[in-house]
Amino acid sequence: MAQRRVTTLVDDLDGSPAQETVRFGIAGPEYEVELNAAHAQQLRTALAPYISKARRSRPGRARAATRRPLRIAVTVDPDWPGHAG
């Protein structure tokens, strides 16, 4: 017996029929949302000024960029010659 499976996309903002799944990432996590054509265009328009100034990252580079800087503790030894304390 043959089966037909139908997947209907529903806009995650207003429940209307959606035309596409939009994937995007910010500050590490990646997201996806189903949107109709108008909402997808609104999202792209809102992000356009940032995308036009951004550079594409390569997979795996985001982790290196989010590492904490090396912290060095400096202490003063009052017995060190030349210490003006």
Side-chain angles (χ1 to χ4, degrees), residues 25-46:
I26 187 164
E30 294 186 12
Y31 304 92
E32 61 181 43
V33 61
E34 280 72 45
L35 297 174
N36 64 34
H39 288 147
Q41 185 57 46
Q42 288 173 354
L43 179 60
R44 289 183 177 98
T45 300

Side-chain angles (χ1 to χ4, degrees), residues 36-64:
N36 64 34
H39 288 147
Q41 185 57 46
Q42 288 173 354
L43 179 60
R44 289 183 177 98
T45 300
L47 294 175
Y50 303 97
I51 292 171
S52 69
K53 301 297 182 192
R55 60 190 168 277
R56 289 188 149 212
S57 64
R58 293 187 301 230
R61 290 201 54 148
R63 291 185 186 175

Side-chain angles (χ1 to χ4, degrees), residues 9 13-14 16 18-19 22 25-26 38 40 42-43 48 50 59 67-68 78:
L9 295 178
L13 294 179
D14 66 5
S16 66
Q19 281 74 41
V22 178
I26 187 164
Q42 288 173 354
L43 179 60
Y50 303 97
R67 287 187 183 159
R68 291 185 178 156

